[in-house]
Amino acid sequence: MTTATTDTQHPSTGRAIETVHLTRRFGAFTAVDRVNLLVPYGGIFGLLGPNGAGKSTVIKMLTTLLKPSAGTALVAGFDIAQAPGAVRKRIGYVPQLLSADGALTGYENLTLSAKLYGIPRAELKPRIEEALHYMGLTDSAQQLVKKYSGGMIRRLELAQAMLHRPAILFLDEPTIGLDPMACLSVWDRLRALNREHGMTILMTTHVMDEVDELCDGVAILHQGKLAASGSPAQLKAAVSEGASMTDVFAYFSGGSIEAGGSYRDARQARMTAKRLG
Amino acid sequence: MNTLMDFLAKSLAIAEMELRKLFRDPMELFSRAVQPVLWLAIFGQVFSQVRGIPTGNVSYLAFMTPGILAQSVLFTAIFYGIAVIWERDLGVIHKLLVSPSPRGALVFGKAIASGARGLVQAVIIYLIAFAMHISIRTDPLAIVGVLACVVLGSAVFSTFSLIIACIVKTRERFMGIGQVLTMPLFFASNAIYPLTLMPDWLRAVARANPLTYLVDALRMLMIEGGQGTHSLVVSFSVLGGVFVVFVVVAARLYPTLIE
């Protein structure tokens, strides 16, 4: 059985993610419209855009949850439509909602992930313990996850996502609904995964501080199209002297901040907030 | 071979966690025991006074005991799919589907867990039957056969439930459909009256109902002198065949839950 352990060794020149005219339609609505993205290995990449811009749809396609309507994407060198199985072995994913199973303990959640990723029996325990330790959850491993705080659940999810040592980690709004201290701890762990484990990270976010703190590269989506991409510094310089990330965001997403989020986004955010309650 | 082992290992990983959750909070298991007690102790006692139901050489109470076991399996398994709607809303399914697990294993694992849960129901019905002095077969082979039936039956109906969940996608619609389906499946079967009593159209429906084959096999294996309309081979083949088809369909539909 293959365990994606070898895939963190990659040529530094390689591309973690490469999309060509990536498109997804839902009926008559085009959620993602001919997006071309290039994400090199080794960095933390932010995917920005107002609610409904198509960020989550892009993530769902790149993580093989959704098939593109047109266009292609290579993730870790494999085509998402032709070789989804090869892609899945090489990526980790943390969904937007706090999705660890509350009725199981932290340890059990990790055991399930480890088994689903085909980690050999002999390595199960050391890998789980390493991940728990790395995320500062060793002492709460035997507690039911429903007793965890929001920040702990997020760190548990990061632990789940790192067990099989993926080359690329996908996160959908990793700090949504977390209190500031929990945010800091998640940021700290993400940076560590990036630097110490060499994981390439792609995340969507609405938090401009998060971009300034973490991201080496960003892409801004607007109404399903790529509006801009580059390093935060490049984009700021392109907008105006002394521009902040918020200015960049507003500039490239055409002032649509005012349009507000869709009902569904709002509902999900509220559900998350409630679970953290 | 490797693929098969991988499939089984991942199915078992799913099943193990489902069962851990179930036994951590066994309240549901006990509440499921109430209904069969009512059916056997009240409905069964009264109807065994009616002599008009041809049950062969067994008492009506003995005749309906396997039917009530099948009913209890059906009623529990048919609502199994609601859990995946929860998991979908929480994002758990997203995480499972991003893992390199065969979709079939994710579905099959849940069926195994449901099958194991059915075993608890079998034990409960056996206990009630003993308490009511219903003549039950106690030879090990018969008991093993009953347990195998129950596991297979639970797996069939829980996977059916999963398919419905994948189609309707919301709790409200799911509960509505679940309620609508259970009683017709139960009444259009030989659970509490024989096929021979039915009008032709109902008998035709009953013959297409997997529950009929479950009841049939259970009736032959569970009670002294119990007779079935079909042979055990036919009943097991039908249930097994239906299960395979359901797993294949459910594995295809499962990823659409999150689109």
Side-chain angles (χ1 to χ4, degrees), chain A residues 24-31:
Chain A
R24 174 70 201 200
R25 285 181 284 269
F26 295 98
F29 174 67
T30 306

Side-chain angles (χ1 to χ4, degrees), chain B residues 8 12 47 56 77 82 130 141 145 178 185 191 195 205 240 243:
Chain B
L8 284 177
L12 288 175
F47 268 68
I82 196 138
F130 283 126
L141 211 60
L185 278 170
L195 292 174
V205 178
F243 179 53

Side-chain angles (χ1 to χ4, degrees), chain A residues 130-192:
Chain A
E130 184 205 342
L132 281 167
H133 178 73
Y134 201 69
M135 291 298 159
L137 292 170
T138 306
D139 294 337
S140 25
Q142 302 303 334
Q143 264 179 45
L144 290 184
V145 170
K146 61 182 158 206
K147 306 245 165 75
Y148 279 26
S149 70
M152 286 164 77
I153 296 179
R154 248 304 97 102
R155 279 183 282 132
L156 176 64
E157 293 186 304
L158 289 176
Q160 284 182 286
M162 69 179 279
L163 281 171
H164 60 293
R165 309 199 175 130
I168 308 165
L169 185 59
F170 290 89
L171 304 115
D172 202 353
E173 302 195 32
T175 55
I176 191 167
L178 299 187
D179 66 56
M181 289 314 290
C183 278
L184 288 179
S185 76
V186 168
W187 288 349
D188 174 62
R189 293 298 84 196
L190 284 178
R191 250 191 306 259

Side-chain angles (χ1 to χ4, degrees), chain A residues 30-243:
Chain A
T30 306
V32 175
D33 193 0
R34 287 164 291 162
V35 167
N36 298 320
L37 274 184
L38 265 184
V39 178
Y41 274 116
I44 302 184
F45 194 86
L47 197 55
L48 317 183
N51 292 326
K55 303 183 298 295
S56 289
T57 308
V58 168
I59 291 254
K60 275 188 180 170
M61 285 192 281
L62 296 180
T63 53
T64 74
L65 290 176
L66 203 58
K67 284 212 156 44
S69 309
T72 56
L74 295 181
V75 173
F78 292 90
D79 188 299
I80 54 165
Q82 308 299 321
V87 171
R88 286 177 195 137
K89 282 182 191 156
R90 290 163 178 83
I91 63 172
Y93 174 54
V94 179
Q96 186 174 341
L97 298 166
L98 297 172
S99 60
D101 198 323
L104 295 173
T105 65
Y107 201 95
E108 287 167 340
N109 268 288
L110 286 162
T111 307
L112 178 61
S113 291
K115 287 183 176 172
L116 290 181
Y117 278 92
I119 290 169
R121 201 160 267 285
E123 278 188 59
L124 218 57
K125 215 174 157 220
R127 288 258 193 126
I128 291 174
E129 278 168 5
E130 184 205 342
L132 281 167
H133 178 73
Y134 201 69
M135 291 298 159
L137 292 170
T138 306
D139 294 337
S140 25
Q142 302 303 334
Q143 264 179 45
L144 290 184
V145 170
K146 61 182 158 206
K147 306 245 165 75
Y148 279 26
S149 70
M152 286 164 77
I153 296 179
R154 248 304 97 102
R155 279 183 282 132
L156 176 64
E157 293 186 304
L158 289 176
Q160 284 182 286
M162 69 179 279
L163 281 171
H164 60 293
R165 309 199 175 130
I168 308 165
L169 185 59
F170 290 89
L171 304 115
D172 202 353
E173 302 195 32
T175 55
I176 191 167
L178 299 187
D179 66 56
M181 289 314 290
C183 278
L184 288 179
S185 76
V186 168
W187 288 349
D188 174 62
R189 293 298 84 196
L190 284 178
R191 250 191 306 259
L193 284 176
N194 175 247
R195 286 185 194 154
E196 294 161 19
H197 288 252
M199 276 183 212
T200 304
I201 295 177
L202 184 142
M203 58 191 230
T204 69
T205 180
H206 282 301
V207 185
M208 293 306 132
D209 284 350
E210 201 157 274
V211 178
D212 282 323
E213 278 288 329
L214 296 176
C215 295
D216 318 302
V218 293
I220 301 177
L221 287 180
H222 177 49
Q223 294 178 350
K225 294 193 174 73
L226 187 67
S229 66
S231 72
Q234 282 169 339
L235 293 178
K236 285 174 188 168
V239 171
S240 69
E241 209 176 309

Side-chain angles (χ1 to χ4, degrees), chain B residues 214-235:
Chain B
L214 177 60
V215 173
D216 224 40
L218 284 174
R219 194 160 280 148
M220 289 171 84
L221 289 165
M222 196 174 182
I223 53 175
E224 294 285 0
Q227 285 167 342
T229 325
H230 310 94
S231 72
L232 283 178
V233 175
V234 170
S235 294

Side-chain angles (χ1 to χ4, degrees), chain A residues 50-52 257-266:
Chain A
N51 292 326
I257 303 170
E258 300 303 321
S262 69
Y263 168 73
R264 195 165 153 269
D265 286 331

